[in-house]
Amino acid sequence: MSVSARLLLLLLCVETFVLAVLEVFFLPLRLDGTLLPRWGDIQFPITIGVAIVTTPMLVLSAAGLGRSLRVAAAPLAVWALTVFVTLFFEPGGQYMLLDDWRTLMLFAGGALPGAVAVGAVMGRHARERVPGTHG
């Protein structure tokens, strides 16, 4: 892996870290008039949608940088570790972990599409190793 590819992978991992922290911090958003408009005090976990879209994009971007599965899975590992640490080890003694469906959906919304993207990269690498199967 070249130096520029390593630098780009590091940049992708930093971007993944920042996205994961923001997804956890904005997970408790509500339509209660405080930050968002007042609309019946409805829970509005938009960051779950952000995780669903961005995690596989980051995995596929990392897969384009190198041939290793570790390179492709690095953003997913950074995302999962960041979400776990941010939810359970919040500085100041307050936990960001919500004891409802939003926390589970954040984990599922980020980890499952990211894992599917890692599986797609694994399949592509396996297909390229078998003679006569690349298109």
Side-chain angles (χ1 to χ4, degrees):
M1 213 169 132
S2 69
V3 175
S4 62
R6 288 177 194 240
L7 186 61
L8 285 173
L9 179 62
L10 178 65
L11 191 60
L12 276 173
C13 288
V14 169
E15 180 182 1
T16 303
F17 172 79
V18 170
L19 276 169
V21 169
L22 289 174
E23 288 164 3
V24 170
F25 283 173
F26 287 102
L27 186 61
L29 277 180
R30 301 179 75 83
L31 294 169
D32 61 356
T34 305
L35 185 60
L36 297 175
R38 183 161 192 71
W39 198 41
D41 202 24
I42 299 172
Q43 298 169 354
F44 190 68
I46 189 67
T47 59
I48 295 169
V50 173
I52 289 170
V53 172
T54 59
T55 307
M57 286 175 48
L58 292 165
V59 167
L60 294 175
S61 296
L65 297 175
R67 304 286 305 155
S68 170
L69 186 60
R70 289 182 186 172
V71 171
L76 180 59
V78 168
W79 184 88
L81 184 64
T82 304
V83 168
F84 179 78
V85 169
T86 307
L87 285 174
F88 290 107
F89 301 109
E90 171 68 22
Q94 294 183 349
Y95 298 113
M96 293 298 298
L97 181 66
L98 302 172
D99 57 351
D100 63 4
W101 60 273
R102 293 175 286 178
T103 301
L104 180 61
M105 289 302 293
L106 179 64
F107 276 122
L112 291 177
V116 168
V118 170
V121 171
M122 287 174 59
R124 188 177 332 132
H125 288 180
R127 187 180 66 230
E128 290 172 358
R129 282 192 301 244
V130 176
T133 58
H134 19 312

